[in-house]
Amino acid sequence: MARNTRAKKKVEEPKVEIGAEIFASLNELEKQKGIPVNYMVERLKQALTNAYRKDREDHRDVPGENVVVDLSEKGLSMHQIKTAVEEPEDLALEIQIDAARKINPNVQLGDSVIIPIDIQKFGRIAAQTAKQVVIQGIREAERGATYDNYASKSQELLTGTVLRVDPTGDMIVRIGQGGEQHDAMLRLSEQIPGQTYEPGDLIRVYVIDVHRSPRGPMVQVSRTHPNVVRRLFELETPEIAEGLVEIRNIAREPGSRSKIAVRAVREDVDPVGACVGPRGGRVGAVVEELHGEKIDIVVWSEDPCQYVKAALSPADVVSVSLIPGQKACRVIVPDDQLSLAIGKEGQNARLAAKLTGYKIDIKPASSVEEAPEQEA
């Protein structure tokens, strides 16, 4: 009887120590990182099961359901389930009936037998496994928190610091502040042509996508997205922030020229003047941030002819007529305004078409007889 008591004490002693240490760590982890204790306990059970299966002296891959882990604040215990047979063929899964009856005198052939696993022999591996699972849990929690943080910042404009420029031209930008800093990828295709940066430079970027990866959240940012212009005007123009002026559409060729269409919610508000600002200060700040990119601000209109006419600014327009059955229009301009309306390499007309959604056919007044179907 004394021998059984000593054996029991021998098994329970490390059980209490390991369980208390593990749960102390898990409770602290829940407080600091918000990871539920129950979630981590299940992770630990699975990890300990896998560790035991790999560490067996016979190197047999015991099925997971044949290994049971009991982990609580009282301690850690493990046991394996074997089947009682007359002559075992697989010692990893079967036990000879006479040996089984030494554990449980009532065992019959074919019964399942619960065989305690010596925790002392497995204690070092169990402790290492627990530590690895906790570390992995912390990493996953931090990645999850980072993902949630930057997923909520999707479509926002953030300020970052250039960390490095890869040989491919892609840049790594560190965004965020304090403990929320994270590295984002600014691909070459999302950089404004002609703009170059050095490590340490401050740069404003637009968050276009956040997705999970094995190494943590991948934040993709852009300098070429049309919403870069939108967010900059929102920062510079109080009337936009207050909802008095709306940006209805943006057409952009990054680094060269953009057109934005705005409308006022109230008649007493000048939407273009609000965006331009006193002495051009507001639009000037946006242009400076975009390293000289030209910006045309036009008034949005429900009337497509008026809208197209405004979109072709700064060119004067004689008339605009819609082409029946098509989302297209014919525009007549004074002869001396033709090159201005079309723009260098067709840029002005191209941006106007993108802004309005209409295909635009521009003709000089001298080449056509003025008989528009619908005049502006």
Side-chain angles (χ1 to χ4, degrees):
M1 188 72 178
R3 187 175 56 188
N4 290 339
T5 302
R6 286 195 301 272
K8 184 176 182 182
K9 183 177 180 181
K10 186 177 180 181
V11 172
E12 287 185 347
E13 192 170 11
K15 170 183 174 181
V16 175
E17 182 182 347
I18 293 175
E21 183 180 347
I22 289 173
F23 270 85
S25 300
L26 296 186
N27 286 321
E28 187 65 24
L29 188 61
E30 185 173 42
K31 290 178 183 178
Q32 294 183 1
K33 303 294 183 179
I35 308 175
V37 171
N38 291 339
Y39 168 76
M40 289 302 298
V41 166
E42 292 305 314
R43 291 283 305 274
L44 280 167
K45 285 182 177 180
Q46 186 61 51
L48 290 168
T49 298
N50 292 339
Y52 171 74
R53 292 166 61 195
K54 293 178 181 178
D55 192 60
R56 286 176 53 83
E57 293 180 1
D58 57 11
H59 303 292
R60 290 296 308 276
D61 188 11
V62 180
E65 59 268 21
N66 283 61
V67 180
V68 179
V69 178
D70 180 21
L71 178 62
S72 68
E73 292 189 22
K74 294 180 180 179
L76 167 68
S77 65
M78 298 176 63
H79 62 264
Q80 185 179 350
I81 300 174
K82 293 186 179 183
T83 302
V85 297
E86 192 70 47
E87 294 293 337
E89 295 182 1
D90 188 342
L91 294 177
L93 301 176
E94 299 172 339
I95 184 172
Q96 205 275 334
I97 185 65
D98 292 339
R101 285 174 176 161
K102 291 179 180 179
I103 299 172
N104 182 356
N106 298 321
V107 169
Q108 302 297 320
L109 287 172
D111 286 352
S112 295
V113 183
I114 296 175
I115 305 172
I117 296 173
D118 189 343
I119 295 295
Q120 279 197 331
K121 291 182 178 179
F122 190 59
R124 180 181 57 82
I125 296 173
Q128 290 176 347
T129 302
K131 182 179 178 180
Q132 291 171 358
V133 171
V134 170
I135 292 173
Q136 183 64 25
I138 292 173
R139 288 175 180 168
E140 290 181 3
E142 290 174 343
R143 289 171 181 172
T146 302
Y147 175 83
D148 293 340
N149 180 39
Y150 284 100
S152 69
K153 289 183 169 74
S154 181
Q155 301 183 23
E156 286 189 17
L157 196 66
L158 302 177
T159 299
T161 304
V162 177
L163 289 186
R164 72 171 188 270
V165 180
D166 293 337
T168 60
D170 295 344
M171 291 197 304
I172 304 300
V173 180
R174 179 154 293 171
I175 55 178
Q177 297 179 348
E180 296 184 351
Q181 288 187 336
H182 191 71
D183 295 350
M185 172 68 75
L186 180 61
R187 298 194 181 281
L188 181 62
S189 60
E190 298 293 338
Q191 298 173 31
I192 297 175
Q195 293 185 11
T196 58
Y197 295 92
E198 299 292 334
D201 288 347
L202 291 178
I203 183 173
R204 274 179 169 166
V205 292
Y206 177 76
V207 180
I208 55 176
D209 185 35
V210 183
H211 61 270
R212 301 181 189 275
S213 76
R215 295 186 177 182
M218 290 292 295
V219 182
Q220 302 250 342
V221 295
S222 174
R223 290 270 295 167
T224 62
H225 198 284
N227 279 347
V228 173
V229 177
R230 182 187 300 274
R231 296 291 180 256
L232 288 172
F233 271 103
E234 289 173 351
L235 291 173
E236 297 293 337
T237 310
E239 289 85 349
I240 295 177
E242 294 168 7
L244 299 177
V245 173
E246 296 177 348
I247 298 178
R248 295 303 301 262
N249 204 3
I250 300 173
R252 187 182 184 202
E253 294 187 357
S256 180
R257 191 174 185 179
S258 291
K259 286 181 180 285
I260 70 170
V262 296
R263 68 177 289 269
V265 175
R266 295 193 331 220
E267 292 184 358
D268 61 337
V269 176
D270 174 12
V272 174
C275 293
V276 172
R279 299 181 181 178
R282 294 172 183 173
V283 68
V286 175
V287 170
E288 183 178 359
E289 173 63 32
L290 298 177
H291 294 203
E293 183 174 315
K294 295 179 180 178
I295 298 176
D296 299 331
I297 307 170
V298 305
V299 177
W300 178 88
S301 175
E302 291 182 353
D303 181 347
C305 293
Q306 289 290 346
Y307 190 19
V308 169
K309 184 176 181 180
L312 286 169
S313 173
D316 295 328
V317 175
V318 174
S319 66
V320 180
S321 58
L322 300 180
I323 299 175
Q326 303 177 44
K327 196 167 185 181
C329 61
R330 184 171 292 109
V331 175
I332 307 301
V333 300
D335 287 23
D336 62 354
Q337 295 286 299
L338 181 62
S339 61
L340 187 61
I342 295 174
K344 184 179 180 181
E345 298 178 350
Q347 185 184 64
N348 193 57
R350 187 167 59 250
L351 285 172
K354 189 184 296 185
L355 187 72
T356 62
Y358 278 79
K359 183 178 179 181
I360 301 174
D361 181 22
I362 303 175
K363 300 291 184 183
S366 62
S367 67
V368 295
E369 293 182 3
E370 190 172 348
E373 298 172 18
Q374 182 179 349
E375 292 191 0

